[in-house]
Amino acid sequence: MMKSPVSAVATALLIGWVGTAGAIDPSAAFADPALQARYEHLTNELRCLVCQNQTIADSNASLAGDLRREVREMIARGDTEAQIKDFLTARYGDFVLYDPPLSARTLFLWAAPGLFVLLTVGVVVRTVIRRARQPIDADDSEESA
Amino acid sequence: MWRYFTPAIAFLLLGALFAVALVRIENGTMDPRAIKSPLLGKAAPTFVLPTVTEPSRPFDSAVLKGHPYVINVWGTWCPACREEHSALLVIARRAGIPFIGIDWKDDRQQAQQYLGQLGNPYTETVADDEGRVAIDWGVYGAPETFLVGADGQVLVKFAGALTEAIWAEKFAPFVQGGG
């Protein structure tokens, strides 16, 4: 398989990008791989409040660094994931979580994709039924118009 | 007939929505980046921090108990803090309640210099070198300003450069005498 120069450059860029992702922390936070995994899992689920479109694992903002330190210390202390999330949501609200919990306030957020699917299905079904009922010659004249 | 009107109406509604949002962002009544603080209506976080002027003398927020006070998070590295500084001097003088400055992750020497040059609106300025107290207050940028009531509850939070107009609108109604 021949690779075009464009795809070669794109591949190189992608490899470079993947290579730098997660390079914010200079070294692993924990020697214990299990704790390190928990740390990486959590920091990838928490939003950096300064940049707002990055997780605290991705961001080099000073606040993200402080929040990573906070998470690291709480894991080292043996706090559960729920305790760490409670600590942060008490201060920053649900917005700090990339995966907001289902509550009365977020109900519409969670229901919206389903509502849109229902709406789309409804429109499609209605259109199909209407078209099916139309006489064939009327349909032809519409398409040729 | 509806086939042509429905998309046109949908387009106009969307356009109107965007126009309203743009105007409100432009004149400062809406901040899409603002995060509503979960601290509102809750007890204000307490702290003990060294003061900027005399690092050997710690300041305990417990002494503020029973009176309303203002917390202003700032830093010499923060341009918007410089922007709000002159307004802060006026507001703090008029309000007649303690203004506590939390100097967030800053250099003490520079902070002293800054307050010496631009004037000091604060009753007390404490240094949060590690940013731990800022996290307790849910701070995500500077400047941020909080009003705490006499009962110790956080009443108002504002993120961004304070002006006299913003103070009059959001804070003054909660301060006795209007500030």
Side-chain angles (χ1 to χ4, degrees), chain A residues 58-79:
Chain A
D58 282 341
S59 171
N60 54 6
S62 153
L63 178 63
D66 288 356
L67 291 175
R68 282 197 300 272
R69 178 196 61 207
E70 217 67 37
V71 170
R72 198 162 55 228
E73 288 175 359
M74 291 182 83
I75 291 176
R77 207 159 62 204
D79 286 356

Side-chain angles (χ1 to χ4, degrees), chain A residues 41-112:
Chain A
H41 169 72
L42 260 170
T43 53
N44 276 298
E45 262 194 11
L46 297 168
R47 187 190 300 275
C48 165
L49 287 305
V50 183
C51 358
Q52 304 200 349
N53 283 319
Q54 279 183 307
T55 63
I56 63 170
D58 282 341
S59 171
N60 54 6
S62 153
L63 178 63
D66 288 356
L67 291 175
R68 282 197 300 272
R69 178 196 61 207
E70 217 67 37
V71 170
R72 198 162 55 228
E73 288 175 359
M74 291 182 83
I75 291 176
R77 207 159 62 204
D79 286 356
T80 65
E81 184 172 324
Q83 281 172 317
I84 297 172
K85 285 185 173 174
D86 284 349
F87 173 89
L88 288 165
T89 47
R91 287 156 177 77
Y92 291 102
D94 286 345
F95 189 67
V96 75
L97 305 173
Y98 256 106
D99 189 6
L102 184 62
S103 70
R105 252 163 37 89
T106 57
L107 188 63
F108 181 69
L109 181 73
W110 280 98

Side-chain angles (χ1 to χ4, degrees), chain A residues 114-141:
Chain A
L115 290 177
F116 277 112
V117 168
L118 281 181
L119 189 74
T120 314
V121 169
V123 168
V124 167
V125 166
R126 215 185 62 153
T127 311
V128 166
I129 289 175
R130 208 172 42 190
R131 290 256 169 112
R133 278 186 191 152
Q134 271 172 354
I136 286 169
D137 55 332
D139 201 35
D140 278 350
S141 71

Side-chain angles (χ1 to χ4, degrees), chain B residues 54-122:
Chain B
E54 296 167 67
S56 57
R57 181 175 62 89
F59 174 80
D60 187 341
S61 67
V63 304
L64 299 165
K65 221 169 150 184
H67 303 279
Y69 60 95
V70 168
I71 294 283
N72 179 257
V73 182
W74 66 286
T76 59
W77 45 266
C78 145
C81 300
R82 205 169 275 264
E83 193 185 307
E84 74 166 10
H85 200 83
S86 58
L88 210 55
L89 285 166
V90 177
I91 294 164
R93 201 181 52 227
R94 279 201 206 135
I97 58 175
F99 268 57
I100 310 302
I102 297 183
D103 188 21
W104 188 26
K105 305 192 79 165
D106 204 0
D107 180 282
R108 306 242 176 113
Q109 213 101 48
Q110 276 179 13
Q112 285 181 21
Q113 222 170 39
Y114 177 99
L115 293 176
Q117 276 169 7
L118 300 176
N120 186 352
Y122 304 114

